[in-house]
Amino acid sequence: RLVSDKSEDNLKLNIVNKTSDLKHLTKKAILTEDLQLAKVHKVNLTDKDPIKKTDGRNSTIQLRRNPGMHKVLTVDVTFSPRDPKAPGQFGHPAVVPEDKQEEAKSRWKEGNFNVYLSDLIPIDRAIDDTRPSGCSRQLVHNDLPTTTVIMCFVDEVWSTLLRSVHSVLNRSPLHLIKEIILVDDFSTKEYLKDNLDKYMSKFPKVKILHLKERHGLIRARLAGAKIAKGDVLTFLDSHVECNVGWLEPLLERVHLNRTKVACPVIEVVSDKDMSYMTVDNFQRGVFTWPMNFGWRQIPQEVIEKNKIKETDIIRCPVMAGGLFSIDKKYFFELGTYDPGLDVWGGENMEISFKIWMCGGEIEIIPCSRVGHIFRNDNPYSFPKDRIKTVERNLARVAEVWLDEYKELFYGHAYHLILKNLDVGNLTQQIQLRKKLQCKSFKWYLENVYPDLEAPLVRASGLIVNIAMAGCITVENSTLAFETCDINNKNQKFNYTWLRLIKHGDFCIASVDAKGTLGLYPCDNRNNSLKWLHKSLVSFQVKLMDHIVLEHLQQPTCLEVDQSHKALRVNACDSSNPYQKWQFGNYYAN
Ligand code: UD2
Ligand code: MN
């Protein structure tokens, strides 16, 4: 290990190798290597000399380093902590003393995690290096771009905010950190004002931007991005702990290709005991309808078949949102975030679709790991209703990016249709998508996220009534009930996410008082064309069920009249078999 105290900000710099690596190197070799790394850290080293390594069995192997590259710098000043016995040290769980239980409980709501324990553990604690083995041997370029770290926060817990900042300062090669911008999103807590400024004045790289009104995290990040001086923007939440070697692998990807957007693996800092926990490898960021973010493990057989290694980069359909590095110019070329998104939520979907559809890529970099405190609820207030805010944001994203697939979004969040949500003006966002000549959502589904089920209709084919052994048929632009014939085009219908029963551009409806049925031009906004057909597929068995006209006060059901074999609507009766229907195919529940 090599210690130098001449680095920037007068922080002590330890350059360490993981113990697992040390085993294979002689003492002399370690020194040579560390000297090289130290040089790299201060000046850009063009390293052409081969480095001698021994493999432990006394045979010397010659390693020619790639010119202009170096091994990831494992900078970590917390490696030998001042107080190794402090609670929470090395990422271990901390314990609330018996007589402090009440206090801990009452302070929970300050951040919706164990604030008492956060205050108890060191703000610069050591944590385990959780990177897969092999990461510390990876090479990155000597001329990596610099980054501005942007952390925005509203009423963040003091010790947690400090720990986030120190984890960046302590575990990043400082020549790569242009600055850390803390964007204070109009916090109400006094300590986040003068005290914070005073504390951070000791760290020249840290800048604080106090916003004069609440921007919400999306516009707060943009305020930070506007004044950023680094080549790359690295966004972080304000309750994180960056792990050893986290930064260079992210910057390396952006350096290789400016349209790559690099995310670290997000690990877990427990909200209950503040322990630092690693997560399973091979996780992709995905979403399910109606645009709920989640992580999904790559199936074992895919890992085996493609020989995917733990250190391999994982391409993700969507990012979690909080932590990523993006080339600054590219971020602005993409039109940043939609500034019409409010407060919190949905911006990760927006930026993800935008990146992929407009020529970029989103990657998770397993050799970069950052811990994050996941909380059950937002600890700050929303200017308007929380749920409505997120729904409106998502609907904006759907309107701009999902094309015809937005029906799936609304179909899974049907209450939004009934609410008649006002999403605000979208002209600029739609123009932007045109200007950037972004691809279609269909392209995205086929190429980026082929495993997402995205059937454009919920059900299709024949509409059968088994009791009467017949099917709904179009005859001379009217509706009739006839013997089923799978090859008859006039018996084919689509049941859409917006609940229309379509035959071409015409939709089944009952618009007169007598309850007769007819075909009318389809219109997604016309509620009198909408039918609810509930029991779709259950345990792979198709169930018959009612088809209910939705716009009426009294439930009214599609029925075939027993004697005349005519179609009509009638008062719903759960035991009436002539009101039960089944489509030929069902695509989703
Ligand atoms: C996730 C993301 C988060 C963001 C969010 C919304 C991760 C780990 N976290 O939820 O970054 O993308 O999804 O889609 O991927 N904040 C403000 N002003 C506000 C609200 C929040 O500055 O009005 C700050 C907040 O203090 C925090 C950050 O924004 O530092 C993210 O908020 P969060 O931690 O509540 O979001 P999270 O982690 O639940
Ligand atoms: Mn967070």
Side-chain angles (χ1 to χ4, degrees):
R1 193 182 321 145
L2 197 113
V3 183
S4 138
D5 56 6
K6 290 194 201 102
S7 64
E8 284 182 80
D9 291 351
N10 274 340
L11 286 170
K12 279 204 166 182
L13 164 74
N14 289 356
I15 296 173
V16 295
N17 276 324
K18 277 173 74 179
T19 31
S20 56
D21 294 337
L22 295 180
K23 279 195 291 231
H24 305 289
L25 298 168
T26 63
K27 211 173 167 191
K28 206 171 158 201
I30 297 167
L31 251 171
T32 328
E33 199 134 74
D34 279 350
L35 279 168
Q36 297 287 356
L37 291 174
K39 272 195 204 162
V40 170
H41 187 72
K42 285 192 204 136
V43 282
N44 279 346
L45 180 83
T46 37
D47 175 9
K48 293 198 183 80
D49 301 329
I51 290 173
K52 281 185 179 168
K53 270 191 177 182
T54 59
D55 67 358
R57 290 182 303 250
N58 281 338
S59 56
T60 307
I61 27 171
Q62 294 263 331
L63 271 188
R64 182 169 283 279
R65 288 248 194 95
N66 278 356
M69 293 189 88
H70 64 269
K71 277 210 277 179
V72 169
L73 294 171
T74 42
V75 180
D76 187 355
V77 306
T78 71
F79 191 70
S80 24
R82 282 169 293 154
D83 179 4
K85 293 219 168 73
Q89 195 56 274
F90 304 110
H92 295 161
V95 185
V96 180
E98 220 24 78
D99 59 331
K100 300 287 183 191
Q101 296 282 354
E102 278 308 308
E103 187 182 341
K105 219 170 141 189
S106 71
R107 296 199 59 200
W108 181 279
K109 60 182 177 307
E110 286 174 34
N112 284 343
F113 63 95
N114 201 325
V115 176
Y116 175 85
L117 286 181
S118 174
D119 286 0
L120 195 69
I121 68 179
I123 47 164
D124 59 348
R125 69 164 169 179
I127 49 178
D128 275 343
D129 178 353
T130 53
R131 293 173 301 168
S133 62
C135 287
S136 55
R137 287 188 295 277
Q138 281 191 352
L139 296 179
V140 292
H141 281 85
N142 293 344
D143 54 346
L144 287 179
T146 64
T147 189
T148 295
V149 173
I150 299 176
M151 259 184 219
C152 65
F153 62 90
V154 54
D155 289 338
E156 187 57 82
V157 171
W158 174 258
S159 54
T160 313
L161 178 61
L162 262 46
R163 193 171 299 109
S164 307
V165 174
H166 283 297
S167 78
V168 174
L169 289 172
N170 290 343
R171 300 199 187 98
S172 314
L174 288 177
H175 69 285
L176 296 177
I177 303 278
K178 189 81 185 175
E179 69 213 327
I180 301 173
I181 301 181
L182 303 180
V183 186
D184 166 18
D185 190 10
F186 201 53
S187 295
T188 57
K189 302 246 158 63
E190 274 311 310
Y191 60 77
L192 292 173
K193 294 173 187 163
D194 295 347
N195 276 4
L196 185 67
D197 294 4
K198 198 165 156 227
Y199 183 95
M200 291 300 170
S201 65
K202 287 179 282 184
F203 305 96
K205 299 238 170 186
V206 180
K207 294 173 188 154
I208 306 176
L209 176 64
H210 294 286
L211 299 175
K212 298 279 174 291
E213 56 180 16
R214 178 81 174 272
H215 280 45
L217 91 91
I218 296 125
R219 293 191 287 270
R221 279 182 192 163
L222 295 181
K226 268 187 204 134
I227 57 167
K229 297 208 171 68
D231 309 317
V232 174
L233 305 174
T234 298
F235 293 101
L236 295 177
D237 276 10
S238 51
H239 34 264
V240 297
E241 284 174 75
C242 299
N243 209 321
V244 180
W246 74 287
L247 183 61
E248 283 177 305
L250 298 178
L251 298 181
E252 175 73 9
R253 299 305 291 175
V254 179
H255 180 61
L256 287 179
N257 182 339
R258 62 192 290 271
T259 67
K260 283 183 189 294
V261 177
C263 309
V265 171
I266 306 181
E267 304 205 281
V268 178
V269 175
S270 161
D271 57 342
K272 296 181 186 66
D273 61 24
M274 293 301 286
S275 58
Y276 186 101
M277 295 179 283
T278 189
V279 293
D280 289 339
N281 288 310
F282 309 116
Q283 306 270 350
R284 287 186 316 152
V286 297
F287 72 91
T288 50
W289 300 109
M291 278 197 267
N292 294 323
F293 174 82
W295 276 286
R296 192 179 291 163
Q297 185 103 20
I298 300 176
Q300 194 56 37
E301 61 268 24
V302 177
I303 296 173
E304 279 162 25
K305 192 170 150 239
N306 298 293
K307 300 198 174 68
I308 307 178
K309 297 192 299 294
E310 283 185 334
T311 48
D312 284 349
I313 275 142
I314 297 172
R315 288 151 60 91
C316 289
V318 293
M319 66 160 86
L323 327 180
F324 63 100
S325 292
I326 186 167
D327 180 275
K328 185 176 67 187
K329 266 179 76 190
Y330 183 57
F331 182 65
F332 283 99
E333 276 165 32
L334 280 180
T336 71
Y337 287 114
D338 166 9
L341 299 174
D342 287 329
V343 191
W344 183 95
E347 92 295 340
N348 57 328
M349 295 293 149
E350 196 242 356
I351 195 101
S352 299
F353 297 150
K354 187 184 282 180
I355 290 166
W356 280 113
M357 289 163 63
C358 314
E361 291 168 89
I362 298 171
E363 301 180 332
I364 287 184
I365 319 299
C367 287
S368 172
R369 306 177 91 88
V370 176
H372 169 261
I373 307 179
F374 288 90
R375 301 166 300 189
N376 280 336
D377 200 2
N378 310 75
Y380 40 78
S381 67
F382 275 66
K384 290 183 195 145
D385 180 85
R386 175 184 185 274
I387 294 178
K388 277 194 200 137
T389 305
V390 178
E391 284 175 348
R392 181 184 167 280
N393 286 353
L394 287 175
R396 274 185 82 85
V397 177
E399 292 293 336
V400 178
W401 295 99
L402 298 197
D403 304 327
E404 67 272 31
Y405 292 86
K406 76 180 178 193
E407 285 199 20
L408 273 100
F409 167 72
Y410 289 115
H412 285 87
Y414 202 75
H415 61 284
L416 297 185
I417 303 250
L418 307 173
K419 268 189 199 166
N420 232 338
L421 199 77
D422 175 18
V423 296
N425 190 327
L426 295 169
T427 326
Q428 279 195 0
Q429 297 308 308
I430 292 166
Q431 269 173 3
L432 177 78
R433 187 176 156 180
K434 273 211 196 97
K435 193 186 100 193
L436 294 172
Q437 299 183 329
C438 307
K439 298 195 181 76
S440 66
F441 197 73
K442 185 163 186 281
W443 174 90
Y444 168 87
L445 287 177
E446 284 166 0
N447 293 280
V448 183
Y449 193 10
D451 45 325
L452 178 73
E453 279 192 51
L456 274 172
V457 294
R458 296 183 79 178
S460 70
L462 306 177
I463 308 178
V464 190
N465 180 276
I466 294 184
M468 285 291 277
C471 282
I472 300 178
T473 312
V474 176
E475 255 177 25
N476 306 325
S477 309
T478 62
L479 288 169
F481 188 79
E482 310 255 300
T483 314
C484 297
D485 172 7
I486 190 103
N487 297 317
N488 184 350
K489 283 204 182 89
N490 292 332
Q491 294 187 351
K492 300 245 161 95
F493 294 87
N494 280 330
Y495 180 54
T496 74
W497 290 102
L498 299 182
R499 304 188 180 177
L500 303 180
I501 304 174
K502 280 182 145 180
H503 180 79
D505 292 333
F506 289 89
C507 280
I508 298 183
S510 160
V511 290
D512 64 17
K514 282 181 281 176
T516 44
L517 289 176
L519 285 169
Y520 297 85
C522 295
D523 173 3
N524 280 333
R525 283 159 305 180
N526 184 350
N527 287 333
S528 64
L529 301 177
K530 299 200 173 174
W531 300 84
L532 179 63
H533 179 47
K534 268 201 311 239
S535 293
L536 295 165
V537 194
S538 164
F539 302 112
Q540 308 299 318
V541 182
K542 278 190 270 176
L543 297 173
M544 291 177 293
D545 204 350
H546 295 81
I547 295 184
V548 186
L549 204 51
E550 286 203 293
H551 71 288
L552 302 172
Q553 285 286 312
Q554 285 298 317
T556 308
C557 284
L558 180 64
E559 177 181 284
V560 52
D561 168 22
Q562 226 177 322
S563 40
H564 305 97
K565 286 197 169 187
L567 293 164
R568 64 180 184 201
V569 289
N570 207 348
C572 293
D573 168 6
S574 60
S575 61
N576 182 346
Y578 306 106
Q579 288 186 356
K580 294 201 177 167
W581 302 91
Q582 185 184 297
F583 276 84
N585 310 296
Y586 289 92
Y587 301 101
N589 282 309

